[in-house]
Amino acid sequence: LTHIGAKFMFVAGMFVSGCVTILFGMLDKVPSGSIFIGLCFLVRAMDAVGFAAAMTASFSILAKAFPNNIATVLGSLEVFTGLGLVLGPPLGGFLYQSFGYEVPFITLGCIVLVLVPVNMCILPKYDSVPSKDSFWKLVLLPKVLLLCFTIFSISACLGFLDPTMSLFILKKFKLPAGYVGLVFLGLALSYSLSSPLLGLLSDKLPYLRKWLLATGGLMTALCFFLLGPAPVLHIESQLWMFVLVLVLVGFSLGMCAIPVFPEILQCAYENGFEEGLSLLGLVSGLFSAMWSLGAFAGPTLGGFLNEKLGFEWASAIQGGWALLSGLATGIFYITEAKRRRSSLQNPPDNNEQTHLVGSET
């Protein structure tokens, strides 16, 4: 990102993603068999590269443009992520039913390509100097490792719902297929509407971030335990309860997702990383990587558990990721607060300070 520029990476990522989205809509004309499967993997892999480039660059541009309000801006933009989640399935389904397989992909790809020249004109160009700080130096910080696990856990929980929830709704509540998308509205709307408020809280009251992260993880775990609900509770699943829990899931995921980015940045600054676009690129890439890893592990493990144990148990087990991250985050921050309090109450004497300075040198 620092070598080719954030703006170029963002625009190039959008261009690649738009082109391969259109190509994916053409794959029904490819002969079936190994050629078709191979091209499907190739096109989707290229789409992932374009998406990763655009997302990594966008986070960096936003953090550079709004350095004092990162969480607020990210939270506000999550409104549009929620709109995409809400509008994507019904619009795609309408285009598919009305015009066939190719039209949804061609339409979406063309919209993305139209936005490429728009962003070329609107986005400012940021000059950046490559930093000497390494990616592994950032990743191996204990606090950053913990925050990476938080990103992974919430992404895995969200990804788990993609292949499993619609099947459970159709089977359990006997809803028509067209109404399944409406059930998803509860999660998408609560996440998108709460994100700006959570971002504002995270920026205005930075000390709240740790409590948002810990509470959000524990609340997500509880919601996934109730989503089925777990058989040990002996509660009959009802549609109103299912939708209510989804609303709470959307809010709790926002509590974890919004404060993570500024918290990783703050940790990097505290450990001597140079402020600038280079660091923003490192943090953005790390966030995207952990999110994508969770988005792979969640549906894969969740689909396996759903097939073997059923949605009720699979959901409860999947919530274990969030439970572990919530507990680990809470323990870490409590331990860190005790250590700081102890160091303030018992400051080292001059000899100890001299020894510490010599050790650091």
Side-chain angles (χ1 to χ4, degrees):
L1 185 143
T2 54
H3 290 285
I4 68 174
K7 179 178 179 178
F8 178 78
M9 179 180 279
F10 179 75
V11 172
M14 287 188 66
F15 179 78
V16 170
S17 186
C19 289
V20 295
T21 299
I22 294 174
L23 286 176
F24 196 78
M26 305 292 187
L27 288 182
D28 61 331
K29 301 194 170 39
V30 176
S32 59
S34 57
I35 296 177
F36 173 76
I37 295 296
L39 286 174
C40 282
F41 273 102
L42 178 62
V43 170
R44 295 299 286 167
M46 289 301 298
D47 197 8
V49 173
F51 176 78
M55 289 301 295
T56 301
S58 68
F59 283 143
S60 301
I61 292 170
L62 287 171
K64 183 70 174 178
F66 304 96
N68 299 320
N69 301 285
I70 296 174
T72 302
V73 175
L74 291 179
S76 300
L77 287 178
E78 287 304 301
V79 172
F80 296 93
T81 301
L83 283 175
L85 292 171
V86 170
L87 298 177
L91 288 178
F94 169 76
L95 291 173
Y96 175 78
Q97 289 181 352
S98 303
F99 304 103
Y101 168 78
E102 299 94 343
V103 172
F105 297 99
I106 294 173
T107 303
L108 183 59
C110 288
I111 291 173
V112 174
L113 289 179
V114 167
L115 291 174
V116 169
V118 174
N119 281 280
M120 289 175 67
C121 297
I122 292 177
L123 288 181
K125 183 179 180 180
Y126 293 109
D127 295 325
S128 61
V129 179
S131 172
K132 296 180 181 179
D133 296 319
S134 72
F135 184 78
W136 296 111
K137 180 184 175 183
L138 175 67
V139 174
L140 294 178
L141 292 173
K143 188 174 180 179
V144 172
L145 275 175
L146 179 62
L147 294 171
C148 285
F149 181 63
T150 299
I151 299 168
F152 169 83
S153 65
I154 59 176
S155 176
C157 288
L158 192 60
F160 160 77
L161 299 175
D162 284 341
T164 59
M165 193 170 80
S166 58
L167 298 175
F168 176 73
I169 293 170
L170 291 170
K171 180 181 177 182
K172 188 73 176 180
F173 304 117
K174 304 293 190 297
L175 287 180
Y179 286 89
V180 173
L182 296 177
V183 178
F184 278 84
L185 281 175
L187 188 152
L189 286 177
S190 65
Y191 176 75
S192 60
L193 294 177
S194 64
S195 292
L197 174 61
L198 293 169
L200 188 63
L201 280 175
S202 182
D203 279 332
K204 298 298 182 183
L205 305 170
Y207 63 89
L208 283 181
R209 290 176 193 158
K210 53 190 174 185
W211 302 116
L212 289 174
L213 289 166
T215 307
L218 296 176
M219 185 175 169
T220 301
L222 178 62
C223 288
F224 271 78
F225 197 73
L226 295 171
L227 197 59
V232 294
L233 297 177
H234 303 291
I235 300 175
E236 181 65 27
S237 181
Q238 299 182 47
L239 183 58
W240 68 267
M241 180 180 174
F242 189 83
V243 174
L244 176 62
V245 173
L246 279 182
V247 170
L248 295 176
V249 167
F251 180 72
S252 63
L253 289 176
M255 291 174 69
C256 295
I258 301 303
V260 161
F261 195 97
E263 193 71 0
I264 294 177
L265 267 181
Q266 183 62 36
C267 180
Y269 293 147
E270 291 173 355
N271 285 273
F273 280 74
E274 296 178 15
E275 185 174 348
L277 196 62
S278 179
L279 175 60
L280 296 176
L282 289 180
V283 176
S284 300
L286 181 61
F287 185 95
S288 299
M290 291 299 103
W291 187 273
S292 298
L293 186 63
F296 169 76
T300 305
L301 177 62
F304 173 79
L305 292 173
N306 186 61
E307 184 179 345
K308 299 297 182 183
L309 304 174
F311 180 84
E312 292 85 354
W313 276 118
S315 175
I317 295 172
Q318 191 73 29
W321 293 114
L323 178 64
L324 286 175
S325 71
L327 289 174
T329 303
I331 293 171
F332 178 86
Y333 280 115
I334 290 172
T335 305
E336 183 183 56
K338 287 183 177 180
R339 187 171 64 248
R340 287 181 178 177
R341 194 179 301 117
S342 176
S343 64
L344 289 173
Q345 292 175 350
N346 303 296
D349 58 27
N350 291 335
N351 291 332
E352 288 176 331
Q353 289 176 356
T354 304
H355 174 69
L356 287 172
V357 171
S359 300
E360 290 174 359
T361 305

Short mmCIF file of all heavy atoms in Angstrom, two decimals, residues 147-208:
data_model
loop_
_atom_site.label_atom_id
_atom_site.label_comp_id
_atom_site.label_asym_id
_atom_site.label_seq_id
_atom_site.Cartn_x
_atom_site.Cartn_y
_atom_site.Cartn_z
N LEU A 147 -6.77 -8.94 20.25
CA LEU A 147 -7.74 -8.23 19.42
C LEU A 147 -7.95 -8.94 18.08
O LEU A 147 -9.07 -8.93 17.54
CB LEU A 147 -7.28 -6.79 19.20
CG LEU A 147 -7.26 -5.91 20.45
CD1 LEU A 147 -6.59 -4.57 20.17
CD2 LEU A 147 -8.66 -5.69 21.00
N CYS A 148 -6.90 -9.56 17.57
CA CYS A 148 -7.04 -10.37 16.35
C CYS A 148 -8.00 -11.53 16.59
O CYS A 148 -8.82 -11.87 15.72
CB CYS A 148 -5.68 -10.91 15.90
SG CYS A 148 -4.63 -9.67 15.12
N PHE A 149 -7.89 -12.16 17.75
CA PHE A 149 -8.80 -13.25 18.07
C PHE A 149 -10.24 -12.76 18.19
O PHE A 149 -11.18 -13.45 17.81
CB PHE A 149 -8.37 -13.93 19.38
CG PHE A 149 -9.24 -15.09 19.77
CD1 PHE A 149 -9.32 -16.22 18.96
CD2 PHE A 149 -9.99 -15.06 20.93
CE1 PHE A 149 -10.13 -17.29 19.31
CE2 PHE A 149 -10.80 -16.12 21.29
CZ PHE A 149 -10.86 -17.24 20.48
N THR A 150 -10.41 -11.53 18.69
CA THR A 150 -11.74 -10.94 18.76
C THR A 150 -12.33 -10.76 17.37
O THR A 150 -13.50 -11.10 17.13
CB THR A 150 -11.69 -9.58 19.49
OG1 THR A 150 -11.21 -9.76 20.82
CG2 THR A 150 -13.06 -8.93 19.54
N ILE A 151 -11.52 -10.20 16.44
CA ILE A 151 -11.99 -10.03 15.06
C ILE A 151 -12.37 -11.38 14.46
O ILE A 151 -13.42 -11.53 13.83
CB ILE A 151 -10.90 -9.35 14.21
CG1 ILE A 151 -10.57 -7.97 14.76
CG2 ILE A 151 -11.36 -9.24 12.75
CD1 ILE A 151 -9.32 -7.35 14.15
N PHE A 152 -11.49 -12.37 14.65
CA PHE A 152 -11.74 -13.71 14.11
C PHE A 152 -13.04 -14.30 14.67
O PHE A 152 -13.85 -14.87 13.92
CB PHE A 152 -10.56 -14.62 14.45
CG PHE A 152 -10.81 -16.07 14.17
CD1 PHE A 152 -10.64 -16.60 12.90
CD2 PHE A 152 -11.24 -16.93 15.19
CE1 PHE A 152 -10.88 -17.94 12.64
CE2 PHE A 152 -11.48 -18.27 14.94
CZ PHE A 152 -11.30 -18.77 13.66
N SER A 153 -13.25 -14.14 15.97
CA SER A 153 -14.41 -14.78 16.60
C SER A 153 -15.72 -14.18 16.12
O SER A 153 -16.67 -14.90 15.82
CB SER A 153 -14.30 -14.67 18.13
OG SER A 153 -14.38 -13.33 18.56
N ILE A 154 -15.80 -12.85 16.01
CA ILE A 154 -17.07 -12.24 15.59
C ILE A 154 -17.32 -12.51 14.10
O ILE A 154 -18.47 -12.71 13.68
CB ILE A 154 -17.10 -10.73 15.88
CG1 ILE A 154 -15.97 -9.99 15.20
CG2 ILE A 154 -17.07 -10.48 17.37
CD1 ILE A 154 -16.01 -8.48 15.38
N SER A 155 -16.25 -12.55 13.30
CA SER A 155 -16.42 -12.87 11.89
C SER A 155 -16.87 -14.32 11.71
O SER A 155 -17.72 -14.62 10.86
CB SER A 155 -15.11 -12.63 11.14
OG SER A 155 -15.22 -13.00 9.79
N ALA A 156 -16.31 -15.22 12.53
CA ALA A 156 -16.70 -16.64 12.45
C ALA A 156 -18.16 -16.82 12.86
O ALA A 156 -18.90 -17.59 12.23
CB ALA A 156 -15.79 -17.48 13.35
N CYS A 157 -18.58 -16.10 13.89
CA CYS A 157 -19.99 -16.19 14.33
C CYS A 157 -20.93 -15.67 13.25
O CYS A 157 -21.98 -16.27 12.98
CB CYS A 157 -20.19 -15.40 15.62
SG CYS A 157 -19.45 -16.18 17.08
N LEU A 158 -20.55 -14.55 12.63
CA LEU A 158 -21.39 -13.99 11.57
C LEU A 158 -21.40 -14.90 10.35
O LEU A 158 -22.45 -15.14 9.74
CB LEU A 158 -20.88 -12.60 11.19
CG LEU A 158 -21.77 -11.74 10.29
CD1 LEU A 158 -23.12 -11.48 10.95
CD2 LEU A 158 -21.09 -10.41 9.97
N GLY A 159 -20.24 -15.44 10.00
CA GLY A 159 -20.15 -16.34 8.85
C GLY A 159 -20.90 -17.64 9.05
O GLY A 159 -21.40 -18.23 8.08
N PHE A 160 -20.99 -18.10 10.29
CA PHE A 160 -21.71 -19.33 10.60
C PHE A 160 -23.17 -19.25 10.16
O PHE A 160 -23.76 -20.24 9.73
CB PHE A 160 -21.63 -19.60 12.10
CG PHE A 160 -22.68 -20.54 12.62
CD1 PHE A 160 -22.58 -21.90 12.42
CD2 PHE A 160 -23.80 -20.06 13.30
CE1 PHE A 160 -23.55 -22.77 12.89
CE2 PHE A 160 -24.77 -20.91 13.77
CZ PHE A 160 -24.65 -22.28 13.57
N LEU A 161 -23.76 -18.07 10.26
CA LEU A 161 -25.18 -17.91 9.95
C LEU A 161 -25.48 -18.02 8.46
O LEU A 161 -26.61 -18.35 8.08
CB LEU A 161 -25.68 -16.56 10.47
CG LEU A 161 -25.59 -16.34 11.99
CD1 LEU A 161 -26.00 -14.92 12.34
CD2 LEU A 161 -26.44 -17.35 12.74
N ASP A 162 -24.50 -17.74 7.61
CA ASP A 162 -24.75 -17.73 6.16
C ASP A 162 -25.28 -19.06 5.62
O ASP A 162 -26.31 -19.09 4.96
CB ASP A 162 -23.48 -17.32 5.40
CG ASP A 162 -23.23 -15.82 5.50
OD1 ASP A 162 -24.18 -15.09 5.82
OD2 ASP A 162 -22.09 -15.40 5.26
N PRO A 163 -24.59 -20.19 5.86
CA PRO A 163 -25.07 -21.45 5.27
C PRO A 163 -26.08 -22.20 6.13
O PRO A 163 -26.65 -23.19 5.67
CB PRO A 163 -23.78 -22.27 5.13
CG PRO A 163 -22.95 -21.84 6.29
CD PRO A 163 -23.29 -20.38 6.54
N THR A 164 -26.31 -21.77 7.36
CA THR A 164 -27.11 -22.58 8.28
C THR A 164 -28.46 -21.97 8.64
O THR A 164 -29.45 -22.68 8.81
CB THR A 164 -26.33 -22.82 9.59
OG1 THR A 164 -26.02 -21.55 10.19
CG2 THR A 164 -25.03 -23.57 9.32
N MET A 165 -28.51 -20.64 8.77
CA MET A 165 -29.70 -20.02 9.35
C MET A 165 -30.92 -20.14 8.44
O MET A 165 -32.03 -20.41 8.91
CB MET A 165 -29.43 -18.55 9.67
CG MET A 165 -30.50 -17.93 10.55
SD MET A 165 -30.05 -16.30 11.16
CE MET A 165 -30.42 -15.29 9.75
N SER A 166 -30.72 -19.93 7.14
CA SER A 166 -31.87 -20.01 6.22
C SER A 166 -32.47 -21.41 6.20
O SER A 166 -33.69 -21.57 6.17
CB SER A 166 -31.44 -19.59 4.82
OG SER A 166 -30.38 -20.41 4.35
N LEU A 167 -31.60 -22.43 6.26
CA LEU A 167 -32.10 -23.82 6.28
C LEU A 167 -32.90 -24.08 7.55
O LEU A 167 -33.95 -24.74 7.52
CB LEU A 167 -30.93 -24.80 6.18
CG LEU A 167 -30.08 -24.73 4.90
CD1 LEU A 167 -28.90 -25.68 5.00
CD2 LEU A 167 -30.94 -25.07 3.68
N PHE A 168 -32.41 -23.55 8.68
CA PHE A 168 -33.10 -23.74 9.95
C PHE A 168 -34.46 -23.05 9.94
O PHE A 168 -35.46 -23.61 10.40
CB PHE A 168 -32.23 -23.19 11.09
CG PHE A 168 -32.89 -23.23 12.43
CD1 PHE A 168 -33.06 -24.43 13.11
CD2 PHE A 168 -33.36 -22.06 13.03
CE1 PHE A 168 -33.68 -24.47 14.36
CE2 PHE A 168 -33.97 -22.10 14.27
CZ PHE A 168 -34.13 -23.30 14.94
N ILE A 169 -34.52 -21.83 9.40
CA ILE A 169 -35.78 -21.08 9.34
C ILE A 169 -36.81 -21.82 8.49
O ILE A 169 -37.98 -21.96 8.87
CB ILE A 169 -35.53 -19.66 8.79
CG1 ILE A 169 -34.68 -18.85 9.77
CG2 ILE A 169 -36.85 -18.94 8.54
CD1 ILE A 169 -34.19 -17.54 9.21
N LEU A 170 -36.37 -22.29 7.32
CA LEU A 170 -37.29 -23.01 6.43
C LEU A 170 -37.83 -24.28 7.07
O LEU A 170 -39.01 -24.61 6.95
CB LEU A 170 -36.58 -23.35 5.11
CG LEU A 170 -36.24 -22.16 4.20
CD1 LEU A 170 -35.33 -22.61 3.07
CD2 LEU A 170 -37.52 -21.54 3.64
N LYS A 171 -36.94 -24.97 7.79
CA LYS A 171 -37.34 -26.26 8.38
C LYS A 171 -38.16 -26.07 9.65
O LYS A 171 -39.16 -26.76 9.87
CB LYS A 171 -36.07 -27.07 8.69
CG LYS A 171 -36.36 -28.43 9.32
CD LYS A 171 -35.05 -29.16 9.61
CE LYS A 171 -35.31 -30.50 10.32
NZ LYS A 171 -34.04 -31.20 10.64
N LYS A 172 -37.75 -25.11 10.50
CA LYS A 172 -38.35 -24.98 11.82
C LYS A 172 -39.66 -24.20 11.78
O LYS A 172 -40.65 -24.59 12.41
CB LYS A 172 -37.37 -24.25 12.76
CG LYS A 172 -37.80 -24.21 14.22
CD LYS A 172 -37.67 -25.57 14.86
CE LYS A 172 -38.01 -25.52 16.33
NZ LYS A 172 -37.90 -26.84 16.96
N PHE A 173 -39.68 -23.10 11.03
CA PHE A 173 -40.85 -22.21 11.07
C PHE A 173 -41.73 -22.33 9.84
O PHE A 173 -42.76 -21.66 9.75
CB PHE A 173 -40.38 -20.76 11.24
CG PHE A 173 -39.51 -20.55 12.45
CD1 PHE A 173 -38.20 -20.12 12.32
CD2 PHE A 173 -39.99 -20.79 13.73
CE1 PHE A 173 -37.39 -19.92 13.42
CE2 PHE A 173 -39.20 -20.59 14.84
CZ PHE A 173 -37.89 -20.16 14.69
N LYS A 174 -41.30 -23.16 8.88
CA LYS A 174 -42.09 -23.43 7.66
C LYS A 174 -42.46 -22.13 6.93
O LYS A 174 -43.55 -21.99 6.39
CB LYS A 174 -43.38 -24.18 8.02
CG LYS A 174 -43.15 -25.48 8.78
CD LYS A 174 -42.47 -26.53 7.92
CE LYS A 174 -42.45 -27.89 8.58
NZ LYS A 174 -41.71 -27.97 9.82
N LEU A 175 -41.51 -21.18 6.91
CA LEU A 175 -41.76 -19.92 6.21
C LEU A 175 -41.53 -20.09 4.71
O LEU A 175 -40.68 -20.89 4.29
CB LEU A 175 -40.82 -18.83 6.73
CG LEU A 175 -41.09 -18.26 8.12
CD1 LEU A 175 -40.04 -17.20 8.44
CD2 LEU A 175 -42.47 -17.64 8.19
N PRO A 176 -42.25 -19.35 3.86
CA PRO A 176 -41.94 -19.34 2.42
C PRO A 176 -40.53 -18.80 2.19
O PRO A 176 -40.03 -17.97 2.97
CB PRO A 176 -43.00 -18.40 1.83
CG PRO A 176 -44.08 -18.34 2.86
CD PRO A 176 -43.43 -18.53 4.18
N ALA A 177 -39.91 -19.26 1.12
CA ALA A 177 -38.51 -18.87 0.85
C ALA A 177 -38.35 -17.36 0.75
O ALA A 177 -37.33 -16.80 1.15
CB ALA A 177 -38.03 -19.54 -0.43
N GLY A 178 -39.37 -16.69 0.23
CA GLY A 178 -39.27 -15.24 0.07
C GLY A 178 -39.22 -14.47 1.37
O GLY A 178 -38.76 -13.33 1.41
N TYR A 179 -39.70 -15.08 2.46
CA TYR A 179 -39.72 -14.40 3.76
C TYR A 179 -38.44 -14.61 4.57
O TYR A 179 -38.26 -13.95 5.60
CB TYR A 179 -40.91 -14.88 4.59
CG TYR A 179 -42.24 -14.35 4.11
CD1 TYR A 179 -42.98 -15.04 3.17
CD2 TYR A 179 -42.75 -13.15 4.60
CE1 TYR A 179 -44.20 -14.56 2.71
CE2 TYR A 179 -43.97 -12.65 4.15
CZ TYR A 179 -44.69 -13.37 3.20
OH TYR A 179 -45.88 -12.88 2.75
N VAL A 180 -37.58 -15.52 4.11
CA VAL A 180 -36.36 -15.81 4.86
C VAL A 180 -35.48 -14.57 4.94
O VAL A 180 -34.89 -14.26 5.98
CB VAL A 180 -35.59 -16.99 4.21
CG1 VAL A 180 -34.23 -17.18 4.88
CG2 VAL A 180 -36.41 -18.26 4.32
N GLY A 181 -35.39 -13.83 3.82
CA GLY A 181 -34.58 -12.62 3.82
C GLY A 181 -35.06 -11.58 4.82
O GLY A 181 -34.26 -10.81 5.36
N LEU A 182 -36.37 -11.55 5.08
CA LEU A 182 -36.90 -10.59 6.05
C LEU A 182 -36.42 -10.88 7.46
O LEU A 182 -36.26 -9.96 8.27
CB LEU A 182 -38.43 -10.59 6.01
CG LEU A 182 -39.08 -10.14 4.69
CD1 LEU A 182 -40.60 -10.27 4.78
CD2 LEU A 182 -38.68 -8.69 4.38
N VAL A 183 -36.19 -12.15 7.77
CA VAL A 183 -35.69 -12.52 9.10
C VAL A 183 -34.27 -11.97 9.30
O VAL A 183 -33.90 -11.55 10.40
CB VAL A 183 -35.73 -14.05 9.29
CG1 VAL A 183 -35.17 -14.44 10.65
CG2 VAL A 183 -37.16 -14.55 9.15
N PHE A 184 -33.50 -11.96 8.21
CA PHE A 184 -32.14 -11.43 8.29
C PHE A 184 -32.13 -9.93 8.59
O PHE A 184 -31.11 -9.39 9.04
CB PHE A 184 -31.40 -11.66 6.96
CG PHE A 184 -30.82 -13.04 6.82
CD1 PHE A 184 -31.60 -14.09 6.37
CD2 PHE A 184 -29.49 -13.27 7.13
CE1 PHE A 184 -31.07 -15.36 6.23
CE2 PHE A 184 -28.95 -14.54 6.99
CZ PHE A 184 -29.74 -15.59 6.54
N LEU A 185 -33.25 -9.27 8.33
CA LEU A 185 -33.32 -7.82 8.56
C LEU A 185 -33.03 -7.46 10.01
O LEU A 185 -32.45 -6.42 10.29
CB LEU A 185 -34.70 -7.29 8.17
CG LEU A 185 -34.99 -7.07 6.70
CD1 LEU A 185 -36.43 -6.64 6.50
CD2 LEU A 185 -34.06 -6.02 6.12
N GLY A 186 -33.47 -8.31 10.93
CA GLY A 186 -33.26 -8.02 12.35
C GLY A 186 -31.80 -7.82 12.68
O GLY A 186 -31.42 -6.85 13.35
N LEU A 187 -30.96 -8.72 12.20
CA LEU A 187 -29.52 -8.62 12.46
C LEU A 187 -28.91 -7.45 11.72
O LEU A 187 -28.18 -6.64 12.30
CB LEU A 187 -28.85 -9.93 12.04
CG LEU A 187 -27.37 -10.11 12.41
CD1 LEU A 187 -27.04 -11.59 12.58
CD2 LEU A 187 -26.44 -9.50 11.37
N ALA A 188 -29.20 -7.33 10.43
CA ALA A 188 -28.56 -6.31 9.61
C ALA A 188 -28.93 -4.90 10.07
O ALA A 188 -28.07 -4.01 10.17
CB ALA A 188 -28.94 -6.49 8.14
N LEU A 189 -30.20 -4.68 10.38
CA LEU A 189 -30.64 -3.35 10.78
C LEU A 189 -30.08 -2.96 12.15
O LEU A 189 -29.64 -1.82 12.36
CB LEU A 189 -32.17 -3.27 10.80
CG LEU A 189 -32.84 -3.20 9.43
CD1 LEU A 189 -34.36 -3.21 9.58
CD2 LEU A 189 -32.40 -1.95 8.67
N SER A 190 -30.11 -3.89 13.11
CA SER A 190 -29.61 -3.56 14.44
C SER A 190 -28.11 -3.27 14.40
O SER A 190 -27.62 -2.36 15.08
CB SER A 190 -29.90 -4.69 15.43
OG SER A 190 -29.19 -5.87 15.09
N TYR A 191 -27.38 -4.02 13.57
CA TYR A 191 -25.93 -3.78 13.44
C TYR A 191 -25.66 -2.43 12.80
O TYR A 191 -24.85 -1.63 13.31
CB TYR A 191 -25.31 -4.89 12.60
CG TYR A 191 -23.83 -4.68 12.33
CD1 TYR A 191 -22.89 -4.89 13.33
CD2 TYR A 191 -23.39 -4.27 11.08
CE1 TYR A 191 -21.54 -4.69 13.10
CE2 TYR A 191 -22.05 -4.06 10.83
CZ TYR A 191 -21.13 -4.28 11.84
OH TYR A 191 -19.79 -4.06 11.60
N SER A 192 -26.34 -2.13 11.70
CA SER A 192 -26.07 -0.89 10.97
C SER A 192 -26.53 0.34 11.75
O SER A 192 -25.86 1.39 11.72
CB SER A 192 -26.72 -0.93 9.59
OG SER A 192 -28.12 -1.07 9.70
N LEU A 193 -27.65 0.25 12.45
CA LEU A 193 -28.16 1.41 13.17
C LEU A 193 -27.41 1.69 14.47
O LEU A 193 -27.29 2.84 14.90
CB LEU A 193 -29.66 1.23 13.47
CG LEU A 193 -30.58 1.19 12.25
CD1 LEU A 193 -32.02 0.92 12.68
CD2 LEU A 193 -30.49 2.49 11.45
N SER A 194 -26.88 0.64 15.10
CA SER A 194 -26.15 0.84 16.36
C SER A 194 -24.69 1.21 16.13
O SER A 194 -24.05 1.78 17.03
CB SER A 194 -26.23 -0.43 17.21
OG SER A 194 -25.58 -1.53 16.58
N SER A 195 -24.15 0.91 14.96
CA SER A 195 -22.72 1.14 14.71
C SER A 195 -22.30 2.60 14.85
O SER A 195 -21.25 2.88 15.46
CB SER A 195 -22.34 0.61 13.33
OG SER A 195 -22.42 -0.79 13.28
N PRO A 196 -23.06 3.58 14.30
CA PRO A 196 -22.63 4.98 14.49
C PRO A 196 -22.57 5.39 15.96
O PRO A 196 -21.64 6.09 16.38
CB PRO A 196 -23.70 5.78 13.74
CG PRO A 196 -24.28 4.83 12.75
CD PRO A 196 -24.23 3.49 13.42
N LEU A 197 -23.55 4.97 16.75
CA LEU A 197 -23.55 5.31 18.18
C LEU A 197 -22.36 4.67 18.89
O LEU A 197 -21.68 5.32 19.69
CB LEU A 197 -24.86 4.84 18.83
CG LEU A 197 -24.95 4.99 20.35
CD1 LEU A 197 -24.84 6.47 20.74
CD2 LEU A 197 -26.25 4.40 20.87
N LEU A 198 -22.08 3.41 18.58
CA LEU A 198 -20.95 2.72 19.19
C LEU A 198 -19.63 3.36 18.78
O LEU A 198 -18.70 3.46 19.59
CB LEU A 198 -20.97 1.23 18.81
CG LEU A 198 -22.13 0.42 19.37
CD1 LEU A 198 -22.21 -0.94 18.71
CD2 LEU A 198 -21.99 0.27 20.88
N GLY A 199 -19.55 3.80 17.52
CA GLY A 199 -18.34 4.49 17.06
C GLY A 199 -18.14 5.81 17.77
O GLY A 199 -17.02 6.17 18.15
N LEU A 200 -19.22 6.55 17.97
CA LEU A 200 -19.13 7.83 18.67
C LEU A 200 -18.69 7.63 20.12
O LEU A 200 -17.82 8.34 20.63
CB LEU A 200 -20.49 8.52 18.62
CG LEU A 200 -20.56 9.96 19.14
CD1 LEU A 200 -19.70 10.87 18.29
CD2 LEU A 200 -22.01 10.45 19.15
N LEU A 201 -19.27 6.63 20.78
CA LEU A 201 -18.86 6.32 22.16
C LEU A 201 -17.39 5.93 22.22
O LEU A 201 -16.66 6.33 23.13
CB LEU A 201 -19.73 5.17 22.70
CG LEU A 201 -21.13 5.51 23.20
CD1 LEU A 201 -21.87 4.24 23.58
CD2 LEU A 201 -21.05 6.46 24.39
N SER A 202 -16.96 5.14 21.23
CA SER A 202 -15.58 4.66 21.22
C SER A 202 -14.58 5.80 21.06
O SER A 202 -13.49 5.77 21.64
CB SER A 202 -15.41 3.64 20.09
OG SER A 202 -14.11 3.12 20.07
N ASP A 203 -14.95 6.82 20.28
CA ASP A 203 -14.04 7.95 20.07
C ASP A 203 -14.09 8.96 21.21
O ASP A 203 -13.06 9.46 21.64
CB ASP A 203 -14.40 8.66 18.75
CG ASP A 203 -13.82 7.96 17.54
OD1 ASP A 203 -12.78 7.30 17.68
OD2 ASP A 203 -14.42 8.04 16.45
N LYS A 204 -15.29 9.24 21.69
CA LYS A 204 -15.44 10.26 22.73
C LYS A 204 -15.00 9.75 24.10
O LYS A 204 -14.48 10.51 24.93
CB LYS A 204 -16.90 10.73 22.81
CG LYS A 204 -17.41 11.40 21.53
CD LYS A 204 -16.64 12.66 21.21
CE LYS A 204 -17.19 13.35 19.96
NZ LYS A 204 -16.40 14.55 19.58
N LEU A 205 -15.22 8.46 24.35
CA LEU A 205 -14.86 7.86 25.65
C LEU A 205 -13.99 6.63 25.40
O LEU A 205 -14.46 5.50 25.49
CB LEU A 205 -16.13 7.47 26.42
CG LEU A 205 -17.16 8.60 26.64
CD1 LEU A 205 -18.46 8.02 27.18
CD2 LEU A 205 -16.59 9.65 27.58
N PRO A 206 -12.70 6.83 25.09
CA PRO A 206 -11.83 5.70 24.71
C PRO A 206 -11.73 4.61 25.77
O PRO A 206 -11.53 3.44 25.43
CB PRO A 206 -10.47 6.37 24.48
CG PRO A 206 -10.78 7.81 24.22
CD PRO A 206 -12.00 8.10 25.02
N TYR A 207 -11.88 4.98 27.05
CA TYR A 207 -11.77 3.98 28.11
C TYR A 207 -12.92 2.97 28.07
O TYR A 207 -12.85 1.89 28.70
CB TYR A 207 -11.72 4.65 29.48
CG TYR A 207 -12.96 5.43 29.85
CD1 TYR A 207 -14.02 4.80 30.50
CD2 TYR A 207 -13.09 6.79 29.56
CE1 TYR A 207 -15.17 5.50 30.84
CE2 TYR A 207 -14.24 7.49 29.89
CZ TYR A 207 -15.27 6.85 30.53
OH TYR A 207 -16.42 7.54 30.86
N LEU A 208 -13.99 3.30 27.34
CA LEU A 208 -15.12 2.37 27.22
C LEU A 208 -14.85 1.23 26.23
O LEU A 208 -15.58 0.24 26.24
CB LEU A 208 -16.38 3.11 26.77
CG LEU A 208 -17.14 3.94 27.81
CD1 LEU A 208 -18.37 4.57 27.18
CD2 LEU A 208 -17.54 3.07 29.00
#
